[in-house]
């Protein structure tokens, strides 16, 4: 029999309003959060992409809830292949990296291994054939990481320069913004 969360996810669709309601439900029932994270990284689950959508919205409100799940989250980034799952998870990675480098108590603390997993996934998403939103989040994430790992900015610049001509206006806007900051 499907779990309470699975039954809820069955009713989620792509409408923002619908996703927000489901996220609110998780925020009001934190006990469902662990299962939500687990479904996000179970590509065979029919609700996998919906769980990722909900995780993104929950992360805007309660990013710290991910702290006990970070090893699982980061080490499983590479299992995601579905476009509908990648975009929200790339956004969550960006939120995690931003939080990690903020200097206050209520921030996410990523281990070196977590950071390496995020770097690897972001570069993978940047060089594979995924939609522009995922690439844009990856560029911004790698820019932040490049302020702490000196090899990242030069690599990022090479990839952006190489791919620039083949991409949409949205990609070019993000690429231009980040290239300006790197130089």
């Amino acid at each position: 029999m499907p779990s309470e969360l699975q039954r809820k996810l069955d009713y989620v669709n792509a409408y923002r309003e619908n996703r927000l309601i489901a996220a609110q439900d998780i925020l009001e029932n934190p006990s469902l959060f662990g299962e939500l994270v687990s479904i996000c990284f179970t590509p065979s689950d029919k609700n996998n992409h919906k769980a990722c959508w909900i995780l993104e919205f929950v992360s805007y409100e309660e990013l710290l809830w991910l702290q006990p799940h970070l090893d699982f989250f980061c080490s499983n980034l590479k299992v995601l292949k579905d476009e509908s799952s990648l975009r929200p998870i790339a956004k969550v990675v960006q939120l995690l990296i931003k939080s990690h480098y903020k200097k206050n108590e209520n921030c996410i603390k990523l281990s070196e291994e977590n950071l390496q997993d995020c770097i690897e996934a972001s570069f993978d998403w940047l060089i594979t054939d995924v939609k522009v939103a995922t690439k844009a989040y990856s560029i911004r994430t790698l820019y932040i990481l490049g302020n702490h790992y000196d090899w990242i900015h030069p690599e990022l610049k090479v990839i952006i320069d190489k791919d620039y001509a083949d991409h949409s206006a949205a990609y070019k806007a993000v690429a231009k913004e980040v290239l300006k900051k790197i130089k």
Side-chain angles (χ1 to χ4, degrees), residues 24-180:
Q24 194 55 47
D25 210 27
I26 300 289
L27 290 166
E28 291 166 12
N29 297 287
S31 62
L32 299 174
F33 188 74
E35 185 185 355
L36 179 73
V37 173
S38 176
I39 295 170
C40 285
F41 295 97
T42 309
S44 59
D45 189 303
K46 70 181 189 327
N47 288 322
N48 161 261
H49 63 289
K50 295 177 183 182
C52 293
W53 297 343
I54 307 312
L55 182 64
E56 177 188 3
F57 283 140
V58 171
S59 295
Y60 290 133
E61 303 295 320
E62 294 291 350
L63 190 62
L64 283 174
W65 286 6
L66 269 171
Q67 187 68 55
H69 304 277
L70 286 176
D71 290 344
F72 175 80
F73 179 95
C74 295
S75 67
N76 279 289
L77 290 170
K78 59 186 158 298
V79 306
L80 297 176
K81 302 291 178 235
D82 180 66
E83 200 68 61
S84 299
S85 303
L86 288 175
R87 189 209 53 77
I89 295 300
K91 179 61 185 184
V92 174
V93 169
Q94 184 184 349
L95 295 172
L96 289 170
I97 296 297
K98 270 186 175 164
S99 177
H100 175 76
Y101 287 111
K102 275 201 178 116
K103 296 293 179 242
N104 65 40
E105 272 111 65
N106 289 332
C107 287
I108 286 288
K109 300 286 178 265
L110 294 156
S111 69
E112 186 57 37
E113 194 174 337
N114 296 158
L115 289 164
Q116 293 303 323
D117 287 336
C118 290
I119 292 168
E120 188 182 326
S122 296
F123 270 118
D124 283 348
W125 296 333
L126 196 53
I127 62 175
T128 54
D129 186 23
V130 297
K131 287 192 178 140
V132 76
T134 303
K135 289 181 184 286
Y137 292 138
S138 298
I139 289 172
R140 289 196 167 110
T141 298
L142 288 166
Y143 170 72
I144 297 165
L145 285 158
N147 294 326
H148 305 275
Y149 295 87
D150 55 7
W151 65 270
I152 291 180
H153 284 166
E155 285 293 313
L156 182 57
K157 188 180 175 326
V158 166
I159 293 167
I160 292 173
D161 286 342
K162 184 175 76 61
D163 294 347
Y164 191 83
D166 303 327
H167 280 290
S168 68
Y171 177 95
K172 288 177 178 171
V174 173
K176 205 180 277 180
E177 166 202 319
V178 169
L179 284 174
K180 237 184 244 164

